[in-house]
Amino acid sequence: MTENRDPGGPIRQFTADLVEAAMAGAYEEVADTLGALTRAGSPHAPAEVVAELVDRCAGVVHARHPAGPGSIFTIVVADDQARPVEVDRLPPGPLAALRALLAALGDDVESRDIQVELASRGEPDDVVCVVIHLLVWLVEVSDSSTAALPSLSCFTP
């Protein structure tokens, strides 16, 4: 992947490459890719990447903890010191991404789509913040070394 990669191309492959870099700890590659996303010519690319990441997170959670219809999911958010964070204090983008994830877990496609749209609005820095949170959450829930799902990290004040 290079910084000249076109995120307006196949979003699924772009997101797969981004996730692969994040999982491998290739943070310079992730940063370059996020830079390409901010320069995307398509106004829809950020929302498509956010939607893809939300679905990947939900897929990992469902694979680790299958749930029946009507199951209720709760999410615990923690700061860099592992202290609980009040969800309502999250910035709008990450909060909408969190709500999109909960909607995806509950198979509420309409709410998921609305929250993805809200999460991907704003300035490029806002969208990068959302994508970074989703990447970190995906890495956290993918950690197979723990039986229980972890708290999700939040990196904003």
Side-chain angles (χ1 to χ4, degrees):
M1 191 180 318
T2 67
E3 69 181 86
N4 295 326
R5 180 158 177 120
D6 177 20
I11 293 297
R12 204 170 278 250
Q13 185 59 51
F14 178 84
T15 307
D17 292 345
L18 181 60
V19 167
E20 183 180 328
M23 294 289 204
Y27 304 121
E28 285 185 31
E29 191 171 334
V30 170
D32 290 344
T33 304
L34 291 174
L37 180 63
T38 64
R39 296 185 301 277
S42 168
H44 303 290
E48 292 176 32
V49 170
V50 168
E52 187 71 24
L53 290 171
V54 164
D55 290 346
R56 285 174 179 258
C57 285
V60 170
V61 171
H62 280 301
R64 287 187 60 191
H65 295 281
S71 294
I72 297 175
F73 289 88
T74 59
I75 295 178
V76 176
V77 181
D79 64 12
D80 60 343
Q81 303 294 315
R83 294 180 302 227
V85 172
E86 286 185 47
V87 173
D88 292 336
R89 295 193 57 138
L90 291 173
L95 179 58
L98 191 63
R99 288 179 176 158
L101 176 55
L102 285 168
L105 289 169
D107 294 323
D108 184 347
V109 176
E110 186 175 313
S111 293
R112 174 208 161 268
D113 291 347
I114 291 168
Q115 294 302 322
V116 163
E117 179 64 32
L118 292 172
S120 59
R121 286 185 181 172
E123 299 298 319
D125 288 350
D126 299 326
V127 174
V128 166
C129 178
V130 167
V131 171
I132 289 171
H133 275 86
L134 284 164
L135 286 170
V136 169
W137 296 343
L138 182 57
V139 169
E140 290 172 341
V141 298
S142 296
D143 181 10
S144 61
S145 66
T146 60
L149 291 169
S151 298
L152 300 181
S153 297
C154 178
F155 303 105
T156 55

